[in-house]
Amino acid sequence: MSEELLPRALPLSELLLAAGLVLQGCGGGGSGSPAPTPPTAEQLKATCLSLAGQVIEGVTITKTTRHEANAAVSSPGFCQVLGTRAPYLDIEIDVPDHWTGRYWQQGGGGFDGQIPSAVTTDAGGAITALSAIVANKGAVYAASNGGNRANVAAQAAPGIWASTSPEGRQSATDYAYAALGTTVHFGKAVTKAFFGKAPSHSYFNGCSNGGRNAYIAAQRWPQEFDGIVSGCETMDMAGQTSAWLQEAAAKGTPAALSAAQINAAHGAAVAACDGLDGVADEVIANPMACRFDPAALQCGAAGASPDPAICLSAPQVATMKSYFTDLKLQNGTSLLSGYWWSSGLGQGWELLGGGFALLASGDAVWLTPARQSTFQLETDYPILKTGLSQIGADHDKAAIAGFVASGRKLISWHGGSDGLLSPADHYRNWTAMAGIAQSKGLADPGTATRFFIVPGATHGVGQSLWEVDWASAIMDWVEKGAAPQQLIYTATSGTTTRSKPVCRHPLYPRYNGSGDVNQASSYTCS
């Protein structure tokens, strides 16, 4: 990117003076230097107000807001720092008064375009909720919009990536990877401006595109993070994008499936496989054991729906079966392991497939049904693989394995009923990565990385820390050496709250045969 798009950063010494911080002792922290004196509440307030307009790590701070403690929403006193870096990267940093030394960076989702804020407000701007990361864990929270603005049509992804302007190219690069680096460097510099020292423990968390972000963080900035949680992604975006476009090519043909047909098929699969975990609760908690054949839904078959809008034609049966079949090149190379049953299969795939194909090629024609209808796996996959790798949007398993082999901690997870990104493919790629870590000298990969399945969760479900406490899991592993063996997934359906174990894959939660079916204590990872 041209230098005129990047404002110059203030030296840290000037920044600390501007913020009004006075550190105990002299110098900058050699091994014999005393630790900085913790700032007082008044100093933190002063720092918050003084940072507006400063340029730190190339990011211009556009606004700072001091929020006092609010017991009604379990909020400590904190400062929200908003910054921007050209062309369209916006960043939020939330700095709590009761800082515990932790730094937490949150990934995005979809094509990003907005900041996943730690703060929830009402129409009047009053805070109604604050992320548990800030409120309970005392961590500095950092997140960005991924380098594009969804609420500004000319600056929104994926369309902006087709621009030949420097701004369009930088937005694509930011989404691919660069926004993550800018955010971590800015976030840690802001932290130091408040407290006079760097974080003692740093974490990254994300699901879906945030999961892709998490793996990118591991492979590009391994020294910046002690623990990473990556969910709802596959660790291979070229293969996943190919699967999306393979399905998109069937749109408008007799082989295409309607949402009603997909949902009805999922309902039939649940009826057939629900009890595989020992209890009928409308959840396929043991998805690998589900062998329901879509052929049973073909029009005219015994038990198939008599409704022609619901039953499947022979071409539609073939499409449905393709979802559960490994995607391979003619030479036998596996690009994606088949899905497990979900109500979301095939829905929304064309938008994401077209967007990532545009990211790989710079050609906006990939957003059109006409181009997607001509997708050819043998010829288009190499373009996707090369393009996504060159722009930095895909993964380097060896680099991720290096993060793990160094002793840093990685939790990978997936929803067991994810119909957007394949949980089976995620596990396949995670297994390959763990094997590489072992070849790098990590005798037991399980000492640094573990894979979990959230039972019955569709895409994105399970990422909330109220659903699964990924924060405590990764922090306890990093800070206390307590490796996660089993977590708890809590979900509400109507007026019923249910909890189930989140097991290390390939284990699954099996009902013990007695006890409340809505309580995790009634299940055992088997």
Side-chain angles (χ1 to χ4, degrees):
M1 184 169 63
S2 60
E3 287 193 8
E4 58 266 27
L5 291 180
L6 283 175
R8 296 182 64 82
L10 283 177
L12 185 58
S13 58
E14 293 183 29
L15 171 64
L16 292 177
L17 287 173
L21 275 181
V22 179
L23 304 185
Q24 181 176 345
C26 304
S31 59
S33 301
T37 301
T40 65
E42 289 305 313
Q43 285 178 315
L44 292 173
K45 293 177 185 179
T47 300
C48 182
L49 297 176
S50 71
L51 289 179
Q54 301 292 341
V55 179
I56 305 174
E57 293 290 339
V59 178
T60 299
I61 297 177
T62 56
K63 183 180 180 181
T64 61
T65 304
R66 170 67 192 180
H67 297 277
E68 299 303 333
N70 184 345
V73 290
S74 301
S75 172
F78 71 99
C79 178
Q80 183 175 81
V81 178
L82 301 180
T84 189
R85 191 262 286 147
Y88 314 125
L89 177 62
D90 299 325
I91 300 173
E92 171 186 320
I93 311 294
D94 299 286
V95 184
D97 291 354
H98 67 313
W99 187 51
T100 56
R102 296 174 174 134
Y103 171 87
W104 180 276
Q105 189 163 323
Q106 181 64 43
F111 294 133
D112 290 341
Q114 56 188 1
I115 297 172
S117 179
V119 181
T120 303
T121 59
D122 61 19
I127 295 176
T128 57
L130 180 65
S131 169
I133 293 299
V134 181
N136 299 338
K137 301 298 185 182
V140 168
Y141 179 99
S144 84
N145 69 348
N148 72 91
R149 295 169 179 150
N151 62 342
V152 182
Q155 301 173 7
I160 184 60
W161 301 337
S163 170
T164 58
S165 68
E167 290 81 6
R169 292 194 298 271
Q170 183 62 45
S171 177
T173 301
D174 281 340
Y175 178 83
Y177 72 91
L180 306 174
T182 300
T183 300
V184 69
H185 295 140
F186 175 61
K188 290 192 174 184
V190 167
T191 301
K192 194 166 187 178
F194 275 89
F195 300 105
K197 60 181 180 180
S200 54
H201 297 100
S202 298
Y203 303 94
F204 198 105
N205 174 64
C207 164
S208 193
N209 188 56
R212 186 186 68 86
N213 295 159
Y215 285 138
I216 294 290
Q219 67 194 51
R220 285 186 174 268
W221 297 281
Q223 302 300 321
E224 297 289 354
F225 299 98
D226 304 295
I228 289 176
V229 180
S230 177
C232 340
E233 211 247 5
T234 66
M235 214 185 291
D236 183 350
M237 286 308 302
Q240 182 63 72
T241 302
S242 296
W244 287 335
L245 290 173
Q246 185 92 324
E247 184 277 337
K251 292 291 185 182
T253 74
L257 292 158
S258 69
Q261 288 173 317
I262 293 169
N263 290 336
H266 176 250
V270 170
C273 300
D274 184 2
L276 294 174
D277 61 348
V279 65
D281 57 0
E282 300 183 348
V283 173
I284 302 177
N286 186 7
M288 290 197 305
C290 184
R291 298 291 183 265
F292 179 70
D293 188 348
L297 306 176
Q298 186 166 334
C299 300
S305 172
D307 185 348
I310 297 298
C311 66
L312 307 181
S313 67
Q316 289 173 327
V317 168
T319 297
M320 184 67 76
K321 285 187 174 183
S322 72
Y323 296 156
F324 310 106
T325 304
D326 291 355
L327 184 65
K328 296 183 178 183
L329 295 174
Q330 291 177 0
N331 64 11
T333 301
S334 291
L335 305 184
L336 181 124
S337 296
Y339 285 81
W340 298 333
W341 276 99
S342 169
S343 59
L345 290 167
Q347 300 182 45
W349 290 8
E350 62 274 13
L351 176 61
L352 285 169
F356 272 87
L358 163 58
L359 196 64
S361 65
D363 189 351
V365 72
W366 274 111
L367 298 178
T368 66
R371 177 62 181 94
Q372 293 179 10
S373 70
T374 66
F375 177 76
Q376 295 292 324
L377 186 64
E378 294 294 323
T379 55
D380 288 327
Y381 169 73
I383 296 173
L384 296 174
K385 181 175 177 60
T386 300
L388 290 176
S389 177
Q390 287 180 342
I391 200 171
D394 215 337
H395 301 301
D396 180 346
K397 293 185 186 66
I400 299 170
F403 174 87
V404 170
S406 73
R408 291 172 169 82
K409 310 304 181 187
L410 170 66
I411 293 176
S412 297
W413 68 273
H414 217 107
S417 295
D418 190 336
L420 193 60
L421 287 98
S422 169
D425 200 53
H426 192 181
Y427 184 64
R428 177 179 72 94
N429 288 307
W430 175 87
T431 301
M433 180 279 300
I436 297 172
Q438 197 167 25
S439 73
K440 290 178 177 288
L442 185 64
D444 178 7
T447 61
T449 184
R450 297 188 173 191
F451 192 98
F452 295 85
I453 292 292
V454 180
T458 54
H459 186 71
V461 175
Q463 66 176 310
S464 167
L465 300 182
W466 301 114
E467 295 172 315
V468 182
D469 191 358
W470 303 111
S472 292
I474 193 65
M475 290 176 181
D476 286 350
W477 201 0
V478 168
E479 299 172 23
K480 302 176 184 178
Q485 181 62 33
Q486 176 180 307
L487 290 87
I488 301 296
Y489 167 47
T490 302
T492 299
S493 177
T495 59
T496 302
T497 298
R498 297 175 172 178
S499 65
K500 276 193 175 182
V502 177
C503 304
R504 287 182 68 185
H505 194 62
L507 302 180
Y508 69 94
R510 183 168 183 80
Y511 183 55
N512 295 331
S514 62
D516 187 346
V517 298
N518 294 319
Q519 294 298 317
S521 57
S522 300
Y523 297 81
T524 300
C525 289
S526 304

